[in-house]
Amino acid sequence: MRYLALLIIVIPAIDIGFLLLSGRTIGVLPTIAFIILTGVVGAYLAKREGLQTIKRAQEQLAYGQIPGESVLDGICILIGGTLLLTPGFITDLFGFLLLFPPSRKPFKFLMISALRKRIEKGNIKIIK
């Protein structure tokens, strides 16, 4: 939880710094256009990836499988789409990384390992 609070403070500060630097370097209007463009492209990619993930989860359910991988993909896509709609270059970078399947794998591995640690510590109980 401490790290989350730190990220909530540090990431926006870095994003503001990059936006100011970009505004000075390439100009205000190109910076605003770039922010809008990444938002539109991010929304399109999130929709496309989200629909593919839903379809894959439905197929897995139809075959009697648990769609665990698809659920993790869905979480990554949701977070990535949200980050891309947030103005800033750092958030856009992480948003794109979460939307593309090859770069999504390390994030899913981190989520699984964090969940395992919480289960092993007893913070999460699995009811059968």
Side-chain angles (χ1 to χ4, degrees):
M1 201 60 155
R2 287 178 264 166
Y3 299 118
L4 183 62
L6 184 65
L7 286 175
I8 289 173
I9 294 169
V10 171
I11 297 296
I14 294 171
D15 262 342
I16 290 170
F18 274 114
L19 287 172
L20 291 173
L21 180 65
S22 172
R24 265 193 247 158
T25 305
I26 64 173
V28 173
L29 291 178
T31 301
I32 292 172
F34 187 73
I35 290 170
I36 292 170
L37 178 69
T38 58
V40 170
V41 170
Y44 169 76
L45 286 173
K47 179 181 176 183
R48 188 187 77 189
E49 290 294 319
L51 289 174
Q52 287 177 356
T53 301
I54 289 171
K55 183 179 176 185
R56 193 169 41 252
Q58 289 173 340
E59 289 172 356
Q60 288 173 336
L61 285 171
Y63 288 113
Q65 300 171 345
I66 297 174
E69 187 84 14
S70 296
V71 170
L72 291 176
D73 282 332
I75 292 170
C76 288
I77 291 166
L78 177 66
I79 294 170
T82 304
L83 288 174
L84 279 167
L85 292 175
T86 305
F89 296 120
I90 303 297
T91 54
D92 287 347
L93 173 69
F94 282 108
F96 279 120
L97 288 174
L98 285 168
L99 283 184
F100 292 120
S103 61
R104 195 182 309 150
K105 288 181 183 180
F107 292 103
K108 290 191 307 188
F109 177 77
L110 289 173
M111 289 188 330
I112 290 170
S113 63
L115 188 61
R116 275 198 184 120
K117 286 179 186 175
R118 292 189 71 170
I119 290 171
E120 289 170 0
K121 286 182 181 179
N123 295 340
I124 296 176
K125 302 220 185 276
I126 298 177
I127 300 171
K128 295 181 183 181

